[in-house]
Amino acid sequence: DAGVTQSPTHLIKTRGQQVTLRCSPKSGHDTVSWYQQALGQGPQFIFQYYEEEERQRGNFPDRFSGHQFPNYSSELNVNALLLGDSALYLCASSQWDRLFGIYGYTFGSGTRLTVV
Amino acid sequence: AQKVTQAQTEISVVEKEDVTLDCVYETRDTTYYLFWYKQPPSGELVFLIRRNSFDEQNEISGRYSWNFQKSTSSFNFTITASQVVDSAVYFCAPYGQNFVFGPGTRLSVLP
């Protein structure tokens, strides 16, 4: 059973460009969350998608946007890239249960984005 | 406001030594989950343990044990008889509506 799959694994972009990162959740999971992890720091929550809608958002500018598709996969888009956007972007999938909330949280290996 | 403190930035131990990683979580929430994750050089976050905020029973699982004291907001994690493969960055991560990761502690286990 495949876990969380992220693509690409590495990416180099130029400042000002736009980038799209992709995430396929673990089988049976319907919720996708994205995190940004700068070098030497802990991951920071960007946003979470459920039923194709953004359900929660962390303290990130509007340059960061996302989408969730009917098959639960998700994309993270970053516009007008800055040097400070260089980081490891982690996707996590989970299952939402109305009684128990979120469970089964599983992280992918991440996409390492370098902005030059 | 929530605050996660992992005061130990880096720890080095010799193989077979026991090592305890400290975490303090300050929050006004009364119900939450507390997780510990391990991040090896490959980058993937590996789930280690999860505890409920209302369960202060300490547990041991193999070489891992944890000590949760709600009165002091501390949630410490111990590896017994450390091994070289335990070398990684360890994150304390409370979960309310999403994860709030601590800054991490880099553990190096030397042969």
Side-chain angles (χ1 to χ4, degrees):
Chain A
D1 181 22
V4 178
T5 304
Q6 292 187 245
S7 63
T9 55
H10 294 82
L11 198 56
I12 299 176
K13 287 288 189 178
T14 303
R15 187 173 50 183
Q17 285 187 317
Q18 179 265 345
V19 68
T20 297
L21 309 182
R22 295 176 176 81
C23 173
S24 293
K26 183 177 179 179
S27 178
H29 286 183
D30 58 7
T31 301
V32 174
S33 304
W34 288 91
Y35 291 78
Q36 179 197 64
Q37 186 179 18
L39 194 62
Q41 298 182 21
Q44 300 294 314
F45 174 71
I46 303 175
F47 43 53
Q48 183 182 81
Y49 278 84
Y50 173 69
E51 292 187 339
E52 302 180 48
E53 291 188 359
E54 183 183 289
R55 185 164 61 179
Q56 295 181 56
R57 188 178 183 91
N59 188 26
F60 279 80
D62 292 343
R63 297 187 298 109
F64 289 77
S65 63
H67 188 77
Q68 185 180 34
F69 300 94
N71 66 353
Y72 308 119
S73 66
S74 176
E75 290 182 348
L76 163 65
N77 301 294
V78 187
N79 295 323
L81 285 167
L82 305 174
L83 297 180
D85 295 330
S86 296
L88 178 67
Y89 288 84
L90 294 163
C91 170
S93 72
S94 51
Q95 182 70 29
W96 169 255
D97 181 273
R98 296 188 186 278
L99 182 62
F100 297 106
I102 288 289
Y103 66 92
Y105 226 92
T106 305
F107 283 89
S109 298
T111 294
R112 187 163 298 281
L113 172 65
T114 302
V115 182
V116 298
Chain B
Q2 303 170 61
K3 183 179 180 182
V4 182
T5 303
Q6 292 182 257
Q8 305 150 306
T9 305
E10 295 190 35
I11 300 176
S12 290
V13 298
V14 176
E15 199 170 21
K16 298 185 182 179
E17 286 185 358
D18 298 346
V19 57
T20 295
L21 309 179
D22 299 331
C23 174
V24 174
Y25 177 48
E26 299 171 60
T27 180
R28 292 180 181 176
D29 294 339
T30 56
T31 302
Y32 49 88
Y33 293 102
L34 289 161
F35 290 74
W36 275 93
Y37 278 92
K38 168 184 176 180
Q39 189 175 41
S42 61
E44 183 174 354
L45 285 165
V46 179
F47 167 78
L48 297 175
I49 58 170
R50 163 183 140 160
R51 297 301 308 277
N52 302 325
S53 58
F54 48 85
D55 182 1
E56 293 195 60
Q57 181 178 1
N58 298 317
E59 294 186 16
I60 298 175
S61 176
R63 295 189 300 112
Y64 300 151
S65 63
W66 44 93
N67 182 312
F68 176 44
Q69 294 184 347
K70 195 168 186 177
S71 60
T72 57
S73 302
S74 67
F75 182 48
N76 299 333
F77 177 68
T78 298
I79 303 173
T80 303
S82 60
Q83 301 174 1
V84 173
V85 293
D86 294 329
S87 297
V89 179
Y90 288 79
F91 291 100
C92 171
Y95 188 95
Q97 295 192 358
N98 56 70
F99 277 113
V100 178
F101 282 87
T105 297
R106 180 174 297 279
L107 172 64
S108 298
V109 181
L110 308 175

